[in-house]
Amino acid sequence: MVAKTRKQTGKSPATQADRDRSPLVSPPGKSTVRRPGREGKAFSSSHPNGLSGIGHKLGLTPSAVARLGVTLLLAALTGYLHWHHLSQLFENDRHFSHLSNLEKEMAFRTEMGLYYSYYKTIIEAPSFLDGLHMVMNDRLTEYPLVINTLKRFNLYPEVVLASWYRMYTGVMGYFGIPTKMCWSINRGEGLTPVDSCEGMGDPAYFYVTCVFLLNGAMMSLFFIYGAYLSGSRLGGIVTTMCFFFNHGESTRVMWTPPLRESFAYPFLVLQMLLLTYILRTRNPSRTAMVALGVSNLCFMLPWQFAQFVLLTQVASLFASYILGYLAAAKMQSILVTHMITLGICFILMFGNSMLLTSFYASSLVSIWAIIALRDRFAQVFKPGIITWVMQGLAWVGSTVLLKFMLSTVLCASDDAHISGLIKSKFTSYKDFHTLMYTCAAEFDFIELETPVRYLKTLLLPINMLVVALIAWRTLQDIVRFLRDGGKTDDVDEAAGSEIVGKGELVYHSLQLVAFAVLAVLIMRLKLFLTPHMCIMASLICSKQLFGWIGERFKHQIGVFAVMAIMAVQGVANLQAQWAIIGEFSNLPQEELLTWIQENARPDSVFAGAMPTMASVKLSTGRPIVNHPHYEDAGLRERTKLVYSMYSRMSGETVKRNLMKLGVDFFVLEDSWCTRRTRPGCSMPEIWDIEDHQNIA
């Protein structure tokens, strides 16, 4: 048996906090922000055309180049620390390096296994194009239908990773370089030994490594984001410290690498960083707008829920525009960028109707129309609160009307469950599909323990202080505006720059409020709220907000004191994560999958619980009729028929439902008959909402 010693080393990113106190340079060329990561070491002082050459092109002084180099070096360091942290947590939790191929696949539960199965399909196909054709003409996922899974499931990450894997193994194989090491693992307890492989040549290892590298690069972006927003490298350190200290509330990529947010969220961070640059710049270049559009596209393509996040962003920007912090021309440029990105995404997603019928798409059109008609609003309404309210009402009314018109015209009902989910949050409404969501803890209201955790690491108090200061200054501006009768003419350049500077802070505060509302309604979405709170925490280093403290030294001493208090609970949180030691094992499911491979015909059709069906498809390659991707109206109805097995209906009715779908085998998990997360959430109780005839 091969035994490996796993080192439990805890490294806090806060150890670098005392090394840098110089402010971050904000050069004009900042619009070319790229995604840094482990390649940060390429900027070596020994390279004659390295950082100094870049500084010369940007017109920076040698001291500014040095400060920029230190900033990028610290960003690369935080990225490396986060990549290592994620990799270590994942290995500690699963003992992934010692699992067999089957166990690694079983470790990808629910929809994770579904997404990974298409990656596996492409790498095992005779060629990349053959694999791409197979996932675009899939006959296994919703038997007997043939569906384009690239369109339905946002599988571009799997397509890209599969192509990289094939290229990597092909090149390494050509040069005869080994890419993995395999061992025979004795599992003990009378279990048969299994072969386990480790290295980039192992498909599962390659997959999760790429995910963790991407999220390591995301932490580098967080450092740059915090430093740029606050105007100080110390702000970047505060942001990354807050993220690490609240890591369990900020991300779940270390437990669920294949989920869509693992691929999408890093690009949202990049997009918001670029948006901050655009808001800060009086006249942003076309290059900056193109970069914003590309990052927007990279965020939308991997994740079907990206549209809801972008809706909150557009709404926050529109509110900033209404209050006078965002010029109409700049707002329209941002809207056009969003529209072009949405159109390209619609094409790349093969005409996915959910994009065009979303509130996000309707909101873009309605806001653009309202800004185009701003002179009419000024003629009809007196500048001030009435105009602001009427513009807000016009946006809400036209967005809702246009959304439902488009849904009716295009006969789209895939997102109908979203309306039901929102309705259930504010009323007593519930149905089968709504309860399938709300009975899961991650779709329930945010738990009360979450604000307490924010409080212990000072994340909540810091954000409340920052937002209170921004709100107070915004209120002063509004009162001044109303007192002057709504006059905004003859604004000099200095005052205009001040308005632009305040505008980015107002936008970030409104975005924080929007994320907070989403998180309160749906706990899963706190994964947007917590990182943004970490970004906002960087503003305690901002001279713009805290210049009243006095000299720079006093300000920095105060920031270090706050970080020291944060570290008390923050380090305890990290130690709790590092203490998680486990090993994945699911012997009953392993026996089930082995039995299917050995006894069921290759064309046998299976039905059962959604999480189990993903594993059946991934590990056995047998056709299934339902799966965990619940965002399609037809799939929701199929799953409802399958889950009649757990209702109070007669056996004949259940059999008829399954025969209608062409099912050969049903995987019965009797625990589904009795388990419930809370009262009213067992399967028989959920069915009682729909099946009144058989209640009790």
Side-chain angles (χ1 to χ4, degrees):
M1 176 181 179
V2 176
K4 295 187 178 179
T5 302
R6 289 175 285 171
K7 298 180 181 179
Q8 301 299 311
T9 58
K11 296 183 180 180
S12 171
T15 56
Q16 298 295 326
D18 296 326
R19 298 186 183 177
D20 246 348
R21 302 186 183 183
S22 303
L24 173 72
V25 175
S26 301
K30 197 65 177 177
S31 61
T32 57
V33 174
R34 68 181 186 84
R35 178 163 58 90
R38 63 187 190 279
E39 68 274 18
K41 63 184 179 182
F43 298 116
S44 172
S45 59
S46 62
H47 199 301
N49 297 316
L51 197 57
S52 59
I54 295 174
H56 179 72
K57 291 181 181 179
L58 295 176
L60 301 179
T61 63
S63 61
V65 170
R67 289 195 294 271
L68 179 60
V70 172
T71 300
L72 295 177
L73 183 63
L74 287 174
L77 175 62
T78 57
Y80 169 78
L81 288 174
H82 194 230
W83 165 77
H84 179 75
H85 183 63
L86 295 174
S87 302
Q88 199 67 30
L89 290 178
F90 184 72
E91 172 63 22
N92 288 350
D93 180 57
R94 310 285 176 87
H95 210 187
F96 201 70
S97 60
H98 284 57
L99 299 182
S100 67
N101 288 335
L102 178 58
E103 289 173 321
K104 288 176 180 176
E105 291 177 354
M106 289 194 300
F108 297 139
R109 290 279 294 163
T110 66
E111 59 186 298
M112 294 188 289
L114 184 69
Y115 299 136
Y116 183 82
S117 70
Y118 302 109
Y119 165 79
K120 179 181 177 182
T121 296
I122 297 175
I123 64 174
E124 291 184 350
S127 69
F128 172 76
L129 291 179
D130 287 337
L132 190 61
H133 181 269
M134 291 169 69
V135 300
M136 292 176 64
N137 298 272
D138 182 88
R139 300 174 181 273
L140 302 179
T141 308
E142 293 181 9
Y143 180 87
L145 304 179
V146 178
I147 62 173
N148 182 350
T149 57
L150 190 57
K151 172 184 177 181
R152 283 275 299 277
F153 305 142
N154 300 76
L155 294 178
Y156 277 97
E158 279 66 32
V159 172
V160 172
L161 289 184
S163 66
W164 289 355
Y165 177 81
R166 295 183 72 106
M167 287 188 289
Y168 172 77
T169 53
V171 171
M172 292 299 182
Y174 178 80
F175 289 105
I177 302 174
T179 59
K180 61 181 178 181
M181 295 182 66
C182 298
W183 299 272
S184 179
I185 305 296
N186 183 4
R187 298 188 290 175
E189 301 178 3
L191 301 176
T192 56
V194 295
D195 292 333
S196 177
C197 297
E198 186 178 8
M200 294 295 282
D202 180 71
Y205 194 91
F206 182 92
Y207 187 97
V208 298
T209 299
C210 288
V211 174
F212 294 153
L213 285 172
L214 175 61
N215 282 266
M218 179 196 72
M219 186 55 67
S220 297
L221 283 175
F222 264 116
F223 178 87
I224 295 173
Y225 195 167
Y228 184 68
L229 183 64
S230 64
S232 166
R233 280 197 295 272
L234 191 57
I237 293 172
V238 169
T239 294
T240 51
M241 279 185 62
C242 287
F243 195 99
F244 274 97
F245 289 165
N246 297 273
H247 200 266
E249 308 294 322
S250 301
T251 182
R252 54 178 183 170
V253 65
M254 58 284 194
W255 317 130
T256 56
L259 289 186
R260 301 299 83 189
E261 69 219 38
S262 302
F263 296 99
Y265 187 71
F267 293 103
L268 176 64
V269 178
L270 175 61
Q271 191 256 19
M272 293 181 69
L273 173 58
L274 291 170
L275 181 61
T276 303
Y277 167 79
I278 290 169
L279 294 177
R280 181 176 293 185
T281 308
R282 293 292 298 272
N283 298 299
S285 64
R286 181 175 297 180
T287 302
M289 288 299 181
V290 171
L292 179 68
V294 172
S295 59
N296 214 17
L297 182 65
C298 291
F299 173 54
M300 292 181 66
L301 277 178
W303 200 21
Q304 67 273 18
F305 288 130
Q307 52 177 292
F308 299 104
V309 178
L310 294 176
L311 172 64
T312 66
Q313 183 180 96
V314 172
S316 301
L317 289 169
F318 184 53
S320 300
Y321 159 77
I322 289 177
L323 294 175
Y325 290 104
L326 185 56
K330 185 182 289 186
M331 182 69 191
Q332 286 181 315
S333 297
I334 294 173
L335 288 174
V336 170
T337 303
H338 275 269
M339 290 177 180
I340 293 173
T341 301
L342 181 64
I344 296 174
C345 188
F346 178 75
I347 294 172
L348 292 177
M349 292 298 294
F350 304 92
N352 192 322
S353 61
M354 278 188 68
L355 293 172
L356 292 188
T357 60
S358 64
F359 283 106
Y360 166 59
S362 301
S363 183
L364 291 175
V365 176
S366 60
I367 292 176
W368 190 90
I370 291 170
I371 296 176
L373 297 172
R374 61 188 179 278
D375 293 335
R376 295 289 182 90
F377 276 94
Q379 292 173 0
V380 176
F381 305 105
K382 182 180 178 181
I385 295 178
I386 296 179
T387 302
W388 298 341
V389 171
M390 294 310 298
Q391 286 179 316
L393 291 176
W395 168 63
V396 173
S398 57
T399 297
V400 173
L401 180 63
L402 184 58
K403 185 261 188 292
F404 285 107
M405 284 178 57
L406 288 172
S407 296
T408 303
V409 171
L410 298 177
C411 300
S413 60
D414 289 342
D415 60 351
H417 64 300
I418 301 296
S419 301
L421 181 60
I422 296 173
K423 186 178 177 182
S424 71
K425 295 291 181 178
F426 299 101
T427 67
S428 59
Y429 173 79
K430 52 187 175 181
D431 60 21
F432 181 87
H433 302 303
T434 300
L435 287 172
M436 291 298 291
Y437 278 102
T438 57
C439 283
E442 59 265 32
F443 286 95
D444 201 358
F445 289 101
I446 194 169
E447 54 189 0
L448 295 177
E449 291 83 359
T450 299
V452 175
R453 297 189 191 107
Y454 293 154
L455 196 62
K456 289 180 178 179
T457 58
L458 296 189
L459 188 61
L460 183 58
I462 291 172
N463 273 261
M464 291 177 67
L465 175 61
V466 168
V467 172
L469 286 173
I470 295 173
W472 173 247
R473 295 191 176 190
T474 304
L475 186 61
Q476 289 179 320
D477 290 341
I478 292 173
V479 171
R480 190 180 305 114
F481 174 82
L482 296 176
R483 188 178 60 231
D484 295 341
K487 295 180 181 179
T488 57
D489 299 333
D490 303 325
V491 177
D492 60 21
E493 185 174 349
S497 299
E498 183 181 354
I499 291 173
V500 169
K502 289 181 180 178
E504 67 179 76
L505 299 182
V506 171
Y507 157 70
H508 279 88
S509 298
L510 292 170
Q511 185 68 77
L512 179 67
V513 172
F515 283 156
V517 171
L518 291 178
V520 168
L521 294 177
I522 300 175
M523 186 184 68
R524 178 181 181 180
L525 299 183
K526 70 179 179 182
L527 302 178
F528 292 107
L529 172 63
T530 312
H532 197 69
M533 291 175 73
C534 299
I535 290 292
M536 293 294 286
S538 70
L539 290 173
I540 63 171
C541 304
S542 170
K543 293 181 181 179
Q544 185 179 357
L545 284 180
F546 292 90
W548 49 269
I549 291 178
E551 60 185 57
R552 176 181 166 191
F553 180 72
K554 287 182 179 179
H555 188 186
Q556 291 182 339
I557 288 296
V559 172
F560 283 120
V562 170
M563 289 195 293
I565 299 173
M566 289 169 52
V568 174
Q569 182 62 42
V571 172
N573 291 343
L574 286 172
Q575 289 174 338
Q577 281 194 318
W578 294 328
I580 298 174
I581 303 294
E583 181 169 358
F584 178 83
S585 179
N586 190 340
L587 188 58
Q589 188 177 72
E590 182 179 342
E591 292 174 341
L592 166 69
L593 298 175
T594 303
W595 184 91
I596 292 174
Q597 289 175 320
E598 294 176 352
N599 296 279
R601 299 189 314 274
D603 59 350
S604 296
V605 182
F606 285 78
M610 291 184 285
T612 305
M613 288 304 98
S615 295
V616 169
K617 180 190 179 302
L618 167 62
S619 299
T620 71
R622 267 51 173 193
I624 58 176
V625 299
N626 64 311
H627 53 77
H629 198 275
Y630 211 58
E631 277 68 54
D632 178 73
L635 188 277
R636 290 196 293 273
E637 293 308 313
R638 282 171 159 256
T639 300
K640 190 175 179 181
L641 288 176
V642 171
Y643 278 30
S644 64
M645 176 66 80
Y646 300 112
S647 71
R648 306 184 198 274
M649 298 178 186
S650 67
E652 280 300 318
T653 303
V654 174
K655 180 181 178 182
R656 191 161 53 247
N657 289 339
L658 296 176
M659 296 294 287
K660 189 187 303 182
L661 296 173
V663 174
D664 295 314
F665 292 92
F666 185 93
V667 180
L668 177 65
E669 299 174 68
D670 53 0
S671 62
W672 279 65
C673 297
T674 55
R675 69 180 182 187
R676 61 178 181 175
T677 54
R678 63 174 187 270
C681 280
S682 68
M683 285 307 303
E685 290 173 317
I686 292 175
W687 266 107
D688 286 345
I689 302 297
E690 297 278 338
D691 184 22
H692 300 287
Q693 182 178 351
N694 293 302
I695 290 179

